[in-house]
Amino acid sequence: MPLIVQKFGGSSVANAERVRNVARIVTETFRAGNDVVVVVSAQGDTTDDLITKAAELTQKPPRREMDQLLSAGEQISISLLAMACNELGCPAVSLLGWQAGFQTDSRYGAARIKSIRTERLQVEIGRKNIVVVAGFQGICKYDDITTLGRGGSDTSAVALAAALRADRCQIFTDVEGVYTADPRKIPGAKKLSEITYDEMLELATLGAQVLNNRSVEMAKKYHVELEVLSSLTNKPGTIVKEVTAMEKMLVRGVTKDSEAARISVIGVPDVPGIAFKIFSKLAAKNINVDIILQSVGRDGTKDISFTVSRTHAPEAIELLGKLDILDGLTVTCDTAVAKISVVGAGMETHPGTASQMFEALFAEDINIQMIATSEIKISVLIEEAAADRAVAAVHRAFFPEE
Ligand code: ADP
Ligand code: ASP
Ligand code: MG
C-alpha cells in the first residue's frame, strides 16, 4: 500500500476549523487507500507565544528548558488533529517526537536528527492507524527533549519520508507553492511548477521561508521528492526534485534575508594571517560568516567587513574583542541591513545577470554595501529600510508584469 507523508504548518492548524480541514485532507488520503503519516507544527503563533512567556521570566533561559517548553506547542496540535481524524471516522494516533523514534544530538534549540527508530511507527501503520507525529522535536542521548530550530517541522517530515521510504512527501502550507518571490509581499510573484533541490536550497537559505533549508538538504541527500502545496485550496503545488523538465531559468526567485548583521574591523595591519586569525576564532565557536569584503591595503592597513546572523553578532563582537591583533581598533556592527538575492541555475551561462540586478537597484537609488556571488546566486547587502523596495524592483526586472 502506498505510504504518504503529509506535513501541515502552523497556520494550517491555527484553529478548530483549520484542524478539521486538515483532518479532512488526511482522512481523504487515507480512505483513498494509502497509509498516512502526518507531521504537524504548533498552532498559529503558539511557538512565538511560548518564547514570549519565557522572556517574561528571564533573558537567558537554559536551552534545555526552552526545548522542553517549545515542544509543548506541537503536543497540542497532534492530539487535536488525531481527535479530529477520529471524529471523521478514521482511526488516528498521535506520537510525540520521542515516541516516533526521533533520536537527535544534544544541541538544544538546533538539534540534528541522528536516526529515526521506526518500530513504533511501523506498528501503528500496521494497525491501520493514521499516525500524527509532532514535528520539530526529538530526544537526545540524555533522554532530554530537543527541538530542531525554527521551521524544523519541514525537516521532521522529510526525515520521516526518508526513513519510511514513503512514496510521497507533501508539505502543505498557507500559499500554493514556491513562488518567484514571497507572494504575500510581491503581488506579481509567479508560482513555479518545479524547482531543483539546489535552487530551492539557495532560496530557502537566503530567506524564502516556505521551506526550511535543512529539510531541502535532507530531501536532496535521500532523494525525497517534495510537493509544496496549499492546505486551503485544492490546487497543484510546486515539485522540488533533482532535475526539472523546465528549461534552466535565468532567475528562479528573489529573496530577502533580514537576519544579517554587518561587522567591520577598521585599520587592521596589512600583513599575512589577519583574516585567518579573525575567521578561525569565529569558526571555532560555530559562528557562520557569510559575505566577506576586504579593502585594498593602503598605508599598511586595510578594512575587513563580513556578515553574520544577527543572533550571532554580539558573540562575534565579544570574540573579536579578545584578539590581541585587533587591540585598539574600531569594530562596528550594523544590524539595519538586509541581504537581497537572486537565485537561478541558468545564471551559470548568462554573464549579464549581475548587471541586470544592479541596474534595477540603481534605478531605485539603492546603494549596495557588499556583493557575493556563486554559480547560481547573486546576493547584495543593502540598508534594511530599502529592502522591500529592492525586492520589488529586482523582481520586476527579471519577471516583468505581462
Ligand atoms: P508553515 O507554517 O506552513 O510552515 P511558513 O510561514 O513557514 O509556513 O512558510 C510559508 C510562508 O513563506 C508563506 O506564507 C510566504 O509568505 C513565505 N514565503 C517567503 N518566500 C516565499 C516564496 N518564494 N514562495 C512561497 N512562499 C514564500
Ligand atoms: N513550531 C515550530 C516553529 O514555529 C516549528 C515549525 O513550525 O516548523 O518554528
Ligand atoms: Mg515553516
Side-chain angles (χ1 to χ4, degrees):
M1 191 169 280
L3 172 69
I4 302 189
V5 172
Q6 298 184 318
K7 179 258 169 179
F8 295 88
S11 49
S12 298
V13 292
N15 52 41
E17 193 195 327
R18 293 273 173 96
V19 172
R20 217 173 278 127
N21 174 56
V22 169
R24 189 185 48 74
I25 297 172
V26 169
T27 52
E28 272 174 15
T29 310
F30 183 76
R31 286 206 172 97
N34 302 292
D35 289 330
V36 186
V37 175
V38 190
V39 174
V40 271
S41 302
Q43 291 186 287
D45 296 328
T46 304
T47 309
D48 290 329
D49 296 344
L50 291 171
I51 291 170
T52 306
K53 275 183 191 298
E56 283 165 7
L57 295 167
T58 167
Q59 285 313 305
K60 271 201 148 184
R63 288 184 179 191
R64 176 190 183 279
E65 301 311 326
M66 269 320 269
D67 279 11
Q68 190 83 309
L69 175 68
L70 297 192
S71 66
E74 272 70 12
Q75 179 156 7
I76 297 172
S77 44
I78 53 166
S79 46
L80 292 176
L81 180 58
M83 288 176 201
C85 290
N86 280 303
E87 193 63 21
L88 293 182
C90 292
V93 60
S94 68
L95 297 177
L96 290 166
W98 67 268
Q99 293 172 306
F102 277 80
Q103 307 279 322
T104 74
D105 63 19
S106 48
R107 265 185 273 181
Y108 302 107
R112 298 236 161 203
I113 300 167
K114 295 179 86 169
S115 65
I116 303 181
R117 297 198 180 138
T118 59
E119 293 86 348
R120 175 77 189 270
L121 287 159
Q122 303 283 9
V123 167
E124 299 298 348
I125 294 167
R127 284 180 183 151
K128 291 284 138 218
N129 275 318
I130 292 172
V131 189
V132 186
V133 178
F136 173 59
Q137 55 176 261
I139 194 166
C140 70
K141 64 179 176 190
Y142 305 116
D143 276 353
D144 281 339
I145 304 296
T146 52
T147 65
L148 309 181
R150 297 306 304 268
S153 298
D154 295 333
T155 313
S156 308
V158 175
L160 268 182
L164 296 169
R165 295 193 171 76
D167 297 278
R168 280 171 87 184
C169 183
Q170 296 179 307
I171 309 287
F172 287 88
T173 182
D174 58 358
V175 289
E176 286 178 6
V178 180
Y179 284 70
T180 51
D182 186 340
R184 294 188 188 286
K185 305 254 172 62
I186 305 292
K190 295 175 174 56
K191 184 164 80 178
L192 300 165
S193 56
E194 296 180 337
I195 185 167
T196 64
Y197 292 125
D198 289 335
E199 288 172 311
M200 190 63 235
L201 185 56
E202 288 287 0
L203 285 182
T205 306
L206 295 168
Q209 190 194 343
V210 64
L211 281 178
N212 178 285
N213 60 351
R214 274 169 56 195
S215 72
V216 184
E217 220 168 54
M218 191 175 284
K220 178 178 157 85
K221 185 168 173 192
Y222 294 101
H223 310 286
V224 177
E225 206 168 286
L226 303 178
E227 184 181 0
V228 181
L229 68 173
S230 167
S231 63
L232 303 167
T233 62
N234 189 15
K235 292 198 179 152
T238 302
I239 306 289
V240 187
K241 57 184 188 175
E242 190 64 49
V243 278
T244 64
M246 292 163 73
E247 207 182 314
K248 276 187 180 178
M249 272 163 81
L250 183 58
V251 167
R252 194 78 87 175
V254 183
T255 59
K256 170 181 92 169
D257 175 4
S258 301
E259 277 306 304
R262 190 192 57 187
I263 295 178
S264 301
V265 195
I266 316 294
V268 297
D270 190 18
V271 294
I274 299 288
F276 163 67
K277 284 177 186 151
I278 292 177
F279 295 116
S280 58
K281 188 92 181 162
L282 300 174
K285 290 284 174 187
N286 277 324
I287 296 180
N288 210 12
V289 173
D290 188 25
I291 310 177
I292 301 175
L293 190 73
Q294 179 176 293
S295 70
V296 177
R298 188 176 291 165
D299 301 330
T301 67
K302 60 192 174 190
D303 304 336
I304 296 182
S305 300
F306 55 91
T307 60
V308 295
S309 79
R310 275 185 207 171
T311 44
H312 281 141
E315 195 185 348
I317 301 270
E318 200 182 315
L319 287 168
L320 296 182
K322 291 183 187 154
L323 274 177
D324 295 345
I325 47 153
L326 304 184
D327 264 354
L329 299 183
T330 308
V331 178
T332 62
C333 177
D334 187 356
T335 52
V337 292
K339 189 167 58 179
I340 309 299
S341 310
V342 293
V343 172
M347 265 181 222
E348 275 174 293
T349 45
H350 276 80
T353 319
S355 69
Q356 206 177 334
M357 181 187 194
F358 302 158
E359 184 185 9
L361 295 168
F362 169 55
E364 287 287 320
D365 204 21
I366 295 169
N367 187 38
I368 299 172
Q369 301 176 4
M370 294 171 115
I371 301 170
T373 62
S374 80
E375 280 170 354
I376 65 165
K377 69 138 202 233
I378 301 163
S379 298
V380 296
L381 197 77
I382 60 166
E383 62 162 333
E384 191 176 21
D388 288 336
R389 208 155 43 88
V391 174
V394 173
H395 189 270
R396 251 193 331 270
F398 290 102
F399 303 96
E401 306 276 321
E402 270 113 38

